[in-house]
Amino acid sequence: MVLVQFSAFAQKPNAKEEVIVAHQVEILRQAMIDADGAKLKALTSEKLNYVHSNGNFQNQTEFIDGIVSGKSNFVTIEFQNQTITIQDNVAIVKHVLSAHTKDDGIDRDIKIGIMLVWQKQKNNWILIARQAYKLTT
């Protein structure tokens, strides 16, 4: 019995880190809804590369300012079909973002693909890059 349990754990060596990264992603989701600039700053790298599905690029300051100012106003955000892959100190998170926004006061529903790149820095997972893309289906 011990060997079976050990075998199951051996197949998923990053399981604990995946849980931690998933938690960071959830904190990010809630901080975007709450427009919490302090949490967004704590979760992201000073060298953040944040790319929208339309190709617009933002750095950390522009990303946070856009959320806090309400220019990017997320009323709801749901992450669907999320996967997390960890290699050494890098985690790649992929999911579909389904959200209701009120950007510039205009109600919209969006559904786009997202790839997040997290890096473990000083025992903390930090978002270093985000790429959004249009879904083909």
Side-chain angles (χ1 to χ4, degrees):
M1 184 67 136
V2 173
L3 292 176
V4 171
Q5 289 176 340
F6 177 77
S7 176
F9 286 117
Q11 292 174 9
K12 214 52 167 143
N14 291 320
K16 180 182 175 188
E17 291 299 324
E18 287 178 17
V19 170
I20 294 168
V21 170
H23 182 68
Q24 290 292 90
V25 172
E26 175 56 22
I27 294 171
L28 175 68
R29 184 190 73 81
Q30 194 60 53
M32 289 173 71
I33 293 169
D34 295 343
D36 187 329
K39 279 187 183 172
L40 292 170
K41 186 168 185 171
L43 288 166
T44 58
S45 168
E46 290 178 3
K47 298 176 183 179
L48 177 68
N49 290 288
Y50 192 95
V51 185
H52 294 268
S53 60
N54 63 6
N56 287 344
F57 170 88
Q58 291 179 318
N59 62 29
Q60 183 196 44
T61 301
E62 293 164 333
F63 160 66
I64 294 170
D65 288 348
I67 299 283
V68 172
S69 71
K71 185 174 181 176
S72 293
N73 183 358
F74 288 95
V75 179
T76 64
I77 301 173
E78 181 184 340
F79 295 150
Q80 303 165 343
N81 304 322
Q82 183 164 281
T83 62
I84 299 172
T85 306
I86 297 177
Q87 183 175 339
D88 299 323
N89 67 338
V90 175
I92 297 174
V93 179
K94 294 184 277 186
H95 54 239
V96 172
L97 179 146
S98 180
H100 181 79
T101 64
K102 206 167 198 164
D103 297 352
D104 295 323
I106 300 169
D107 282 296
R108 278 185 32 202
D109 290 314
I110 59 171
K111 194 167 192 169
I112 55 177
I114 302 288
M115 183 176 73
L116 303 171
V117 181
W118 297 79
Q119 183 179 52
K120 194 168 190 180
Q121 300 177 0
K122 299 178 184 174
N123 292 320
N124 196 21
W125 288 98
I126 301 295
L127 182 65
I128 62 172
R130 183 252 202 191
Q131 174 68 59
Y133 55 91
K134 295 178 182 171
L135 298 171
T136 57
T137 56

